[in-house]
Amino acid sequence: MRHAIKTMLADSSYEVVGEAINGREAIEKYRELLPDVVTMDVTMPVMSGLDATKVIIEEFPDAKIIVISALGQQKMILQALSLGAKDFITKPFDQQRLMSTIVKVVEY
């Protein structure tokens, strides 16, 4: 998923400043890099994307997190939004969907 997103962003004006392999690392990277926007997969090892979103939003209330989930995970999407995620994308998605969501969230 990280590779696919990186590839989709390659031709845009956005730069991927960091990647995390699990939720705990996502928190550490956020603290270190303070990115403009984060794409956060719901399902990750060590710590879920939902738990990582909760921690990041508690520390950085203005963080702009886009949650990525598989079809059929509506409950998790609603939970992520209630935790402070700004939007969501369901898998599978294409470059146009990713870019429009990022633009919307960054301008939010």
Side-chain angles (χ1 to χ4, degrees), residues 35-53:
D36 295 331
V37 66
V38 172
T39 56
M40 180 82 72
D41 204 332
V42 168
T43 306
M44 291 193 291
V46 181
M47 176 186 271
S48 76
L50 292 179
D51 291 337
T53 296

Side-chain angles (χ1 to χ4, degrees), residues 5-99:
I5 290 171
K6 207 169 172 180
T7 301
M8 289 179 193
L9 291 173
D11 296 330
S12 74
S13 61
Y14 296 101
E15 174 187 2
V16 176
V17 295
E19 296 179 51
I21 59 171
N22 61 57
R24 187 168 293 135
E25 189 175 310
I27 295 166
E28 292 167 10
K29 291 280 186 183
Y30 192 92
R31 289 173 179 152
E32 174 189 343
L33 301 169
L34 299 173
D36 295 331
V37 66
V38 172
T39 56
M40 180 82 72
D41 204 332
V42 168
T43 306
M44 291 193 291
V46 181
M47 176 186 271
S48 76
L50 292 179
D51 291 337
T53 296
K54 180 179 181 193
V55 171
I56 291 170
I57 294 294
E58 284 174 354
E59 288 186 37
F60 304 92
D62 294 331
K64 295 179 179 183
I65 299 175
I66 299 167
V67 173
I68 299 173
S69 68
L71 289 172
Q73 291 184 318
Q74 284 80 6
K75 181 180 175 187
M76 289 187 184
I77 291 168
L78 292 174
Q79 186 177 357
L81 293 172
S82 74
L83 292 171
K86 302 298 185 234
D87 209 336
F88 67 92
I89 301 173
T90 23
K91 299 180 213 174
F93 56 89
D94 60 16
Q95 183 177 16
Q96 182 179 351
R97 172 74 170 121
L98 175 65
M99 295 308 300

